[in-house]
Amino acid sequence: MEQVRVALQASDPLSQAGIASYLQSRPELTLLRSSERAEAKVLVVSCDRLTSDVVAMLRRSAAEIGSPVVLITNEITESELLTAVECRVVAILPRVAVTAERLVHSVLTAAKGGGVMPPNLVGELLKHIERLQRDVLTPNGLNASGLTPREIDVLRLMADGLDTNEIAGELCYSERTVKNVIYGVTHRLKLRNRSHAVAYALRAGMI
Amino acid sequence: MPPDAESSAPFAGELFLTLAAEGRLVVDPVRADQAIAGLERTLSLIRARLRILRIWQHSPPQRVDELPDELANDVVDAMFADQLAPGRLEQAVTELPKYIEALRRARGRRPGDRAEIDGQSIL
């Protein structure tokens, strides 16, 4: 079996020594000296946080070597995650939970995957997309369901069987406002009537 | 994931396009379609909100309480949100189509292209 050539960069000597011993203990891996780093199939980086120095090193490495990176770190924010992904990080391992087995498995899979992001990282990117939409919509009184909070309130009460007058009383609106809200939502979503609107909202998990 | 230093998530449309173009981003077709549908819905809401803002900003001076109930609420929400984060909606209108395009490109590549890494997420 061909050995996977691995380069290691840790932010402190103790981590460097510890992780190196993990990697060297496995016959399927070859730990490269720092002078051989350009030949690495996978780069393992260990740091407390993604500081600007670490990011600069990752960017350099992505540009010069382009190998997938297994990152071991304590915590990471959403914007740091995006930066890490940009720098070819394909696996993020929490420092407290990293074991020799998990690290080796991640390194081997990174070598095999050739830089394609694994499902858990893709999942985090999809969460970023959801969060982004919420951040834009919420301050505008909107949400991703396509309904305003007021429309959701009215539809919920309609689903509870309340008529226009009762909904107006419950929400302290005029009957005209309630009718406008119902007209607006049925017209916009091309729904036939009130029952259709309630059914649509329930089915779509909006209320 | 700990909260970001910034109050809002940064836009990263170009990054997603790059990841998709390089084949590093591969998304299951079902999840990709769901995400695309959500983004398209959001984009349409944002465009509608921007239309309201522009109409209000370009119409002769008027009082909010002279507007119909429905429009008045939207105008107040839109003006307030625009003051809190100026230009955020315009930025979203530029950025969200990039995410949509990236997901279209990343959708449904061969399953064999995907790596199986069980790196435990710390996010």
Side-chain angles (χ1 to χ4, degrees), chain A residues 31-88:
Chain A
L31 182 61
L32 302 173
R33 285 193 292 270
S34 57
S35 58
E36 301 170 318
R37 203 169 130 163
E39 298 161 29
K41 179 98 174 179
V42 176
L43 175 62
V44 175
V45 173
S46 172
C47 57
D48 288 335
R49 295 295 311 259
L50 222 57
T51 61
S52 53
D53 285 347
V54 175
V55 170
M57 184 273 292
L58 286 172
R59 284 195 199 285
R60 241 186 350 262
S61 166
E64 291 167 7
I65 308 170
S67 314
V69 177
V70 173
L71 178 67
I72 304 168
T73 190
N74 284 333
E75 59 177 354
I76 191 164
T77 64
E78 184 177 327
S79 51
E80 288 169 346
L81 166 75
L82 296 173
T83 305
V85 164
E86 188 185 346
C87 296
R88 298 194 168 268

Side-chain angles (χ1 to χ4, degrees), chain A residues 85 94 109 120 133 140 150, chain B residues 24 42 49 73 116 119 122-123:
Chain A
V85 164
T109 317
N120 66 333
Q133 294 174 82
N140 282 281
R150 179 145 68 159
Chain B
R24 290 158 61 196
T42 299
R49 189 45 62 96
N73 281 321
E116 292 294 330
I122 58 170
L123 303 176

Side-chain angles (χ1 to χ4, degrees), chain A residues 65-136:
Chain A
I65 308 170
S67 314
V69 177
V70 173
L71 178 67
I72 304 168
T73 190
N74 284 333
E75 59 177 354
I76 191 164
T77 64
E78 184 177 327
S79 51
E80 288 169 346
L81 166 75
L82 296 173
T83 305
V85 164
E86 188 185 346
C87 296
R88 298 194 168 268
V89 169
V90 294
I92 302 174
L93 302 174
R95 229 173 178 179
V96 289
V98 70
T99 61
E101 281 309 311
R102 188 177 292 281
L103 173 61
V104 170
H105 182 66
S106 294
V107 168
L108 291 175
T109 317
K112 194 172 69 183
V116 177
M117 283 186 289
N120 66 333
L121 215 47
V122 172
E124 292 297 337
L125 292 181
L126 293 177
K127 279 188 208 162
H128 153 78
I129 295 178
E130 285 169 15
R131 207 159 21 237
L132 198 64
Q133 294 174 82
R134 264 202 314 274
D135 284 353
V136 176

Side-chain angles (χ1 to χ4, degrees), chain A residues 73-79 81-83 85-95 97 102 105-106 109-110 113 115-126 128-129 131-133 135-137 139-146 148 150 174 176-177 180-181 188, chain B residues 1-12 15-16 19 22-28 31-32 35 38-43 45-46 49 53 68-70 73-74 77-82 84 88-89 92 96 99 103 113-123:
Chain A
T73 190
N74 284 333
E75 59 177 354
I76 191 164
T77 64
E78 184 177 327
S79 51
L81 166 75
L82 296 173
T83 305
V85 164
E86 188 185 346
C87 296
R88 298 194 168 268
V89 169
V90 294
I92 302 174
L93 302 174
R95 229 173 178 179
R102 188 177 292 281
H105 182 66
S106 294
T109 317
V116 177
M117 283 186 289
N120 66 333
L121 215 47
V122 172
E124 292 297 337
L125 292 181
L126 293 177
H128 153 78
I129 295 178
R131 207 159 21 237
L132 198 64
Q133 294 174 82
D135 284 353
V136 176
L137 294 177
N140 282 281
L142 302 168
N143 59 64
S145 69
T148 64
R150 179 145 68 159
S174 68
R176 184 171 150 254
T177 298
N180 283 342
V181 170
R188 197 172 69 247
Chain B
M1 178 188 292
D4 255 5
E6 307 95 311
S7 56
S8 300
F11 288 105
L15 170 63
F16 274 70
L19 294 174
E22 292 178 355
R24 290 158 61 196
L25 179 65
V26 177
V27 186
D28 168 80
R31 293 186 80 184
L39 281 164
E40 283 174 340
R41 210 160 44 228
T42 299
L43 194 55
L45 287 168
I46 292 171
R49 189 45 62 96
L53 260 178
D69 275 0
E70 278 310 290
N73 281 321
D74 286 353
D77 282 346
M79 299 290 287
F80 188 59
D82 194 52
L84 287 178
R88 182 86 172 151
L89 289 179
L96 294 190
Y99 285 90
L103 287 169
D113 289 345
R114 198 173 300 178
E116 292 294 330
I117 295 181
D118 74 344
Q120 182 185 326
S121 172
I122 58 170
L123 303 176

Side-chain angles (χ1 to χ4, degrees), chain A residues 136-205:
Chain A
V136 176
L137 294 177
T138 307
N140 282 281
L142 302 168
N143 59 64
S145 69
L147 298 175
T148 64
R150 179 145 68 159
E151 287 168 342
I152 290 173
D153 287 342
V154 170
L155 283 167
R156 279 206 184 109
L157 294 174
M158 277 166 61
D160 289 342
L162 274 64
D163 63 23
T164 306
N165 183 36
E166 290 166 329
I167 294 171
E170 190 75 25
L171 297 176
C172 301
Y173 294 156
S174 68
E175 276 194 60
R176 184 171 150 254
T177 298
V178 174
K179 283 178 185 166
N180 283 342
V181 170
I182 297 167
Y183 173 78
V185 76
T186 50
H187 182 72
R188 197 172 69 247
L189 298 174
K190 298 182 174 55
L191 303 166
R192 283 192 302 277
N193 49 38
R194 293 176 175 218
S195 308
H196 192 189
V198 171
Y200 174 87
L202 282 170
R203 224 176 16 239

Side-chain angles (χ1 to χ4, degrees), chain B residues 53-65:
Chain B
L53 260 178
R54 284 178 189 139
I55 290 168
W56 175 255
Q57 285 163 350
H58 293 104
S59 58
Q62 54 188 311
R63 290 157 54 101
V64 172
D65 57 11

